[in-house]
Amino acid sequence: MRLNLIAYQFREFDGYGRYVNRVIAALLRAGVDVAPLLYQHAEMPSWLQAKLGIDWSVLTISCLPAYYLLPVPGRHWLYTMTEGSEAPDGWVDIINKSGVERVLVPCEYNAEAFRRGGVTAPIHVVPGGTDPDEFPLKNGRFTGAYTFLALGDRGSRKGWTEVWSAFYKAFGSPTDTPDVRLIIKSRPEGNDLIDRIAEATNPDPRVTIWREDVADMTQVYAVADCFVIPSRSEGWGMPHREAAMMGLPVITQAHSGMDDGHTADWAMVVYGGKLEPIPGMFKHIKGEWLRADVDALAETMRRCYDDPELAAMHGSWAATWLRTHQTWGHTVQKLCRLIEEYS
């Protein structure tokens, strides 16, 4: 089997970049001949495309946000996702006018958003995965105080502000519970909200804002005993599953891309969140998202702290389930079956 796979970029610091890199690697492991391309290749003159050896006679799959989608000669599928409950403005028109035969998405939540939006091409769910070799099981607990990890990227969408509030609801002041920690991992660039939180927590030695780009996410998950990531919305949720693959107990919501019908098999689910309109400042995300219930979040965090052995067992069960049901190998198996069915 041969195919072209188009991305808008392959950077490891970007969610789509990491996603498409792992799809390509899994396809290659499965014996598929993949030509990785950037979307700009579709705009090159045909003589330059020929010089690069681009072959449009095979199936092309574009794995990118729809606003990067360009028409290509020959058969063309789109593999995309959206974090919101609705298709972003303009995406449906782009998809319908592009001539793509089929649209692939990682979860049913996405499929419903695009169907309601009016996408006319058939839509198929091809879940993402996780690599057990890339994210091996941790050996025991992180040393020292019980440590929670949250992600401060993507504004407030990952739910880190709710984690911060839940931390203080569950553990009070440093004198109340000194042997617990919260690390909020962020990118180096400025973030006004994180700056204000950092200033507010500066007297509290239990809370750390970690500002750094880290290419190897295993280094991030390795510092924690529990990963708390009650994202308000996700297209799929790679960090959630990566940490669980390493055996970390993961606290999240069964919503949007995190709700694959098996969330409770790989995560500790918090319920009772509130649906809210997505603020207009979040470009390319439309509709509603789910803000986690801080009380329920605090209660779950406290349970993990009070019984770390049981929490670790949850993480171990999650890693076993993911290895059995949700690796990138499983992703490619389903993708290849679809290609063969509709070739």
Side-chain angles (χ1 to χ4, degrees):
M1 182 184 297
R2 296 170 57 223
L3 59 87
N4 301 317
L5 208 155
I6 296 179
Y8 78 98
Q9 50 96 343
F10 295 101
R11 292 173 61 233
E12 280 290 309
F13 297 128
D14 176 83
Y16 263 103
R18 297 183 66 232
Y19 195 99
V20 73
N21 288 348
R22 281 144 188 82
V23 170
I24 291 172
L27 284 165
L28 292 171
R29 287 194 297 269
V32 179
D33 184 4
V34 185
L37 303 173
L38 290 168
Y39 76 100
Q40 292 97 332
H41 285 112
E43 298 180 303
M44 286 182 170
S46 57
W47 65 269
L48 256 182
Q49 294 176 358
K51 180 70 175 176
L52 292 172
I54 298 174
D55 180 6
W56 299 115
S57 70
V58 302
L59 174 66
T60 297
I61 300 177
S62 288
C63 184
L64 37 68
Y67 51 83
Y68 286 106
L69 182 64
L70 294 172
V72 303
R75 301 180 60 219
H76 191 191
W77 294 7
L78 170 65
Y79 196 172
T80 192
M81 65 191 78
T82 180
E83 292 88 356
S85 60
E86 301 177 21
D89 290 337
W91 281 33
V92 171
D93 284 342
I94 293 171
I95 293 169
N96 287 344
K97 291 176 182 177
S98 69
V100 295
E101 295 177 6
R102 301 184 181 278
V103 176
L104 315 179
V105 293
C107 61
E108 187 59 35
Y109 183 83
N110 273 203
E112 286 302 314
F114 286 115
R115 289 189 190 110
R116 286 194 305 268
V119 168
T120 55
I123 300 174
H124 305 272
V125 175
V126 179
T130 304
D131 186 348
D133 293 326
E134 183 180 7
F135 297 99
L137 283 169
K138 283 183 62 179
N139 293 319
R141 278 194 53 223
F142 185 62
T143 57
Y146 195 87
T147 302
F148 294 95
L149 170 70
L151 284 190
D153 297 336
R154 301 295 190 265
S156 58
R157 183 168 62 80
K158 300 291 185 184
W160 67 270
T161 57
E162 290 88 274
V163 177
W164 182 76
S165 298
F167 179 83
Y168 282 98
K169 186 174 285 287
F171 304 110
S173 70
T175 55
D176 295 327
T177 321
D179 59 340
V180 65
R181 299 287 182 271
L182 172 62
I183 297 173
I184 301 174
K185 170 67 179 68
S186 182
R187 293 183 176 183
E189 56 263 27
N191 179 316
D192 289 343
L193 185 54
I194 285 203
D195 290 342
R196 291 199 296 273
I197 294 295
E199 184 177 350
T201 59
N202 186 49
D204 190 341
R206 301 175 303 170
V207 180
T208 301
I209 310 296
W210 180 5
R211 301 175 187 268
E212 185 182 359
D213 278 333
V214 179
D216 184 357
M217 286 299 292
T218 61
Q219 297 175 13
V220 177
Y221 307 134
V223 304
D225 296 302
C226 181
F227 190 35
V228 196
I229 183 165
S231 297
R232 300 175 186 179
S233 62
E234 291 286 349
W236 171 241
M238 288 178 65
H240 313 63
R241 293 166 172 91
E242 291 168 352
M245 182 67 86
M246 289 183 65
L248 275 179
V250 173
I251 302 175
T252 193
Q253 303 190 94
H255 177 69
S256 61
M258 295 89 70
D259 184 9
D260 54 17
H262 299 278
T263 311
D265 290 312
W266 57 266
M268 303 175 71
V269 179
V270 291
Y271 298 98
K274 181 182 178 182
L275 284 172
E276 297 177 346
I278 298 173
M281 69 181 71
F282 288 86
K283 296 180 180 180
H284 309 302
I285 310 178
K286 185 180 177 184
E288 294 181 319
W289 62 17
L290 189 69
R291 185 190 291 263
D293 182 274
V294 170
D295 290 335
L297 195 58
E299 182 181 328
T300 307
M301 292 170 69
R302 184 75 200 201
R303 285 206 312 269
C304 292
Y305 166 83
D306 288 338
D307 195 343
E309 288 75 20
L310 180 59
M313 285 179 63
H314 275 284
S316 178
W317 297 332
T320 299
W321 189 89
L322 287 169
R323 280 167 167 72
T324 306
H325 299 284
Q326 215 166 78
T327 67
W328 291 111
H330 293 100
T331 301
V332 164
Q333 286 176 13
K334 182 157 189 178
L335 177 57
C336 289
R337 284 198 299 268
L338 275 175
I339 294 172
E340 290 169 357
E341 183 177 356
Y342 295 105
S343 61

